[in-house]
Amino acid sequence: MKALVAFLSGLLLSAGITISMMIDPAKVLGFLNVLDNWDPSLALVMGAALVVYSTGFYFSQKRAAPFLEKAFYLPKSTKVDRQLLLGALIFGVGWGLLGYCPGPAIAALTSGSTGTIGFVLSMVFGWWLTRKIKFN
């Protein structure tokens, strides 16, 4: 049952980011470019995501565990440290330069674009590399 729920959740997420055009780097860069010809339409996507997440989080606080797990797996640390800030900065620069973030980039693989494939391969290499480097 967990695998089915994960599959359906992934399918729903992928459909949503595709329909909202978050897989199109030009659309995302148009949203991020607030100084010249700004496209605010992705704010609706982010706003809808925030409403859904907040609602789910609110109701999760009333439960001892999720429906298909023994416990909630929430972050143990809430501190803003150097590693978090560095990661956020690197992510922001990458997103701002290219218009891709991980989920939409993976969904955009279906386009067959060599740029998208290169981005995802670089992203996977970056994940691997950061596991080898000590940041603390």
Side-chain angles (χ1 to χ4, degrees):
M1 185 58 119
K2 284 195 272 187
L4 177 62
V5 170
F7 174 79
L8 293 174
S9 298
L11 188 64
L12 183 64
L13 173 70
S14 183
I17 61 180
T18 301
I19 292 167
S20 68
M21 297 302 296
M22 286 189 72
I23 64 169
D24 180 1
K27 182 80 168 170
V28 174
L29 291 173
F31 171 72
L32 294 174
N33 185 3
V34 296
L35 299 177
D36 181 38
N37 204 19
W38 182 51
D39 178 1
S41 61
L42 290 184
L44 296 173
V45 176
M46 294 180 185
L50 185 60
V51 168
V52 171
Y53 172 80
S54 299
T55 303
F57 187 77
Y58 172 79
F59 285 113
S60 74
Q61 299 300 294
K62 299 180 180 302
R63 299 185 50 83
F67 291 109
L68 300 175
E69 282 290 340
K70 296 177 196 155
F72 285 105
Y73 300 100
L74 300 173
K76 292 179 179 30
S77 174
T78 58
K79 69 179 182 171
V80 176
D81 59 8
R82 187 174 58 116
Q83 185 174 348
L84 176 66
L85 291 173
L86 180 61
L89 177 67
I90 293 169
F91 175 85
V93 167
W95 195 37
L97 289 174
L98 299 169
Y100 270 140
C101 63
I106 292 169
L109 281 173
T110 59
S111 72
S113 161
T114 55
T116 302
I117 293 167
F119 175 82
V120 171
L121 290 174
S122 296
M123 184 174 63
V124 170
F125 177 72
W127 289 336
W128 175 83
L129 185 62
T130 56
R131 300 247 189 280
K132 302 295 179 195
I133 299 172
K134 300 285 186 207
F135 287 97
N136 294 328

